[in-house]
């Protein structure tokens, strides 16, 4: 990616050197008696596009919500860009992280949700500039230029002054993608971003994401039921069941010749 694209990075970045950008180490997450993640280990190399697949309720969204620090792990550690996400090292010991540390590490992560979650009272441009101005301290005119460039990238250059309710679901989701990218995260988390859309709007959103996957070096961790899309963009597919990754590999292997019966069953139900 060249220095003047909307996604170029100003902050130091492990970029696409293949180093680990995300690492889960024996992560346990329980909701009451329900152990959703059971000593989960997995990692995502920087610059890669990784897709999580698995049955409903298996914990895919939980993984993304842990990364967004919307919830905390009960045991184990998560690292992003080499830094602990919910822990800090103090005097050689690992202690729960303070809010400031969490905010700093989380700046590297952007997420697009199934339900868009745009700010309804703000015009499209302000939806995108709000966090870069308030969280990153970007000057307003710079944030607006960045927002306009990103709106062009997602094909909505003419919608700066619209309110979210004046847009179709597919357009709103493309604004949400632009909004996440405006923070220049190292990793973009995508949780079934097309599943709330009318069928005819799905392709436009997937095209934007394909474009981003193929033309930028952003790392992607994606949960999707769109298996063709997963096949197109993924470097690696992780099959997830009962709190663990049971199988992983390149999409051509997982989709055509999976090792596990459980993966075969799951794919035959969704493909
Ligand atoms: N806040 C919560 N309180 C209690 N249980 C929860 C909570 N969030 C998730 N769970 C439970 O954790 C399990 C995993 O949920 P999660 O949303 O991660 O699944 P998923 O793999 O994303 O499923 P889907 O494909 O349907 O989106 C489910 O059994 C769910 O009921
Ligand atoms: Mg989910």
């Amino acid at each position: 990616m060249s220095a003047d694209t909307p996604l170029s990075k100003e902050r130091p970045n492990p970029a696409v050197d293949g180093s680990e950008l995300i690492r889960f180490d024996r992560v346990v997450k329980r909701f009451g008696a329900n152990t959703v993640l059971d000593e989960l280990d997995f990692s995502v190399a920087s610059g890669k596009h990784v897709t999580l697949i698995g049955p409903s309720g298996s914990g895919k969204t939980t993984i993304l919500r842990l990364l967004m620090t919307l919830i905390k792990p009960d045991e184990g550690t998560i690292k992003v860009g080499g830094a602990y996400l919910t822990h800090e090292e103090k005097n050689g010991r690992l202690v729960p992280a303070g809010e400031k540390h969490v905010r700093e590490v989380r700046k590297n992560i952007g997420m697009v949700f199934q339900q868009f979650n745009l700010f309804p009272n703000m015009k499209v441009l302000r939806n995108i500039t709000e966090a870069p101005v308030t969280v990153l301290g970007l000057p307003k005119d710079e944030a607006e230029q960045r927002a306009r460039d990103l709106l062009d990238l997602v094909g909505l250059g003419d919608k700066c002054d619209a309110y979210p309710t004046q847009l179709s679901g597919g357009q709103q989701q493309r604004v949400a993608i632009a909004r996440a990218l405006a923070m220049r995260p190292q990793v973009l988390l995508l949780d079934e971003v097309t599943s709330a859309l009318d069928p005819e709007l799905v392709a436009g959103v997937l095209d934007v994401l394909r474009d981003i996957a193929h033309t930028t070096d952003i790392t992607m961790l994606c949960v999707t039921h769109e298996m063709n899309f997963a096949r197109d963009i993924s470097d690696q597919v992780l099959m997830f069941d009962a709190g663990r990754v049971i199988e992983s590999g390149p999409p051509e292997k997982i989709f055509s010749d999976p090792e596990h019966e459980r993966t075969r069953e799951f794919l035959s139900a969704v493909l």
Side-chain angles (χ1 to χ4, degrees):
M1 169 165 44
S2 73
D4 55 358
T5 65
L7 295 175
S8 63
K9 297 177 179 81
E10 285 143 4
R11 277 174 289 129
N13 183 348
V16 283
D17 60 4
S19 63
E20 272 179 2
L21 186 55
I22 296 173
R23 169 158 207 95
F24 276 54
D25 228 333
R26 300 178 75 110
V27 170
V28 175
K29 181 65 198 172
R30 301 183 195 94
F31 293 108
N34 182 5
T35 301
V36 177
L37 304 183
D38 181 16
E39 301 202 338
L40 176 68
D41 286 329
F42 85 98
S43 63
V44 177
S46 70
K48 298 292 183 195
H49 308 139
V50 174
T51 300
L52 289 172
I53 61 171
S56 180
S58 62
K60 304 179 299 295
T61 295
T62 300
I63 291 175
L64 303 189
R65 296 187 73 222
L66 282 165
L67 280 164
M68 286 303 286
T69 65
L70 297 169
I71 50 175
K72 287 191 173 149
D74 294 302
E75 292 171 33
T77 56
I78 300 169
K79 274 184 162 180
V80 175
Y84 286 106
L85 182 61
T86 54
H87 295 80
E88 277 179 280
E89 281 171 304
K90 275 196 179 144
N91 307 323
R93 288 183 51 226
L94 216 50
V95 297
E99 204 28 57
K100 184 164 175 282
H101 173 90
V102 172
R103 264 204 309 276
E104 220 25 64
V105 182
R106 196 177 45 203
K107 276 185 196 166
N108 298 317
I109 308 169
M111 182 159 175
V112 181
F113 300 85
Q114 190 177 352
Q115 294 293 350
F116 331 141
N117 297 351
L118 296 175
F119 307 121
N121 56 330
M122 294 180 192
K123 289 180 177 176
V124 162
L125 195 74
R126 173 102 188 275
N127 258 278
I128 302 173
T129 59
E130 183 68 8
V133 170
T134 58
V135 180
L136 301 182
L138 209 64
K140 190 161 168 253
D141 54 346
E142 218 175 292
E144 287 188 352
Q145 190 53 51
R146 186 183 286 188
R148 287 179 204 283
D149 290 347
L150 285 165
L151 283 170
D152 284 340
L153 183 85
V154 300
L156 294 173
D158 57 342
K159 297 292 183 194
C160 292
D161 290 323
Y163 282 96
T165 50
Q166 297 170 321
L167 303 179
S168 74
Q171 290 171 332
Q172 290 186 53
Q173 194 56 302
R174 285 185 275 150
V175 173
I177 292 166
R179 183 176 63 173
L181 293 175
M183 295 293 282
R184 299 207 173 150
Q186 292 177 355
V187 58
L188 186 62
L189 310 178
L190 301 163
D191 192 5
E192 298 189 37
V193 296
T194 57
S195 59
L197 297 178
D198 291 337
E200 73 271 21
L201 301 176
V202 169
V205 171
L206 293 182
D207 283 346
V208 163
L209 291 172
R210 265 195 199 90
D211 199 35
I212 292 166
H214 292 143
T215 61
T216 76
D217 60 9
I218 196 164
T219 307
M220 287 183 173
L221 180 58
C222 180
V223 174
T224 184
H225 290 139
E226 298 284 341
M227 294 299 157
N228 286 329
F229 171 71
R231 204 187 286 256
D232 282 359
I233 65 139
S234 306
D235 298 297
Q236 195 187 18
V237 176
L238 305 180
M239 170 68 193
F240 191 73
D241 191 32
R244 295 189 172 212
V245 175
I246 58 168
E247 176 162 11
S248 71
E252 50 280 15
K253 167 79 179 141
I254 300 287
F255 289 127
S256 311
D257 182 25
E259 300 282 329
H260 279 256
E261 182 53 32
R262 190 73 192 90
T263 313
R264 275 193 286 277
E265 267 172 31
F266 172 74
L267 288 173
S268 69
V270 296
L271 281 178

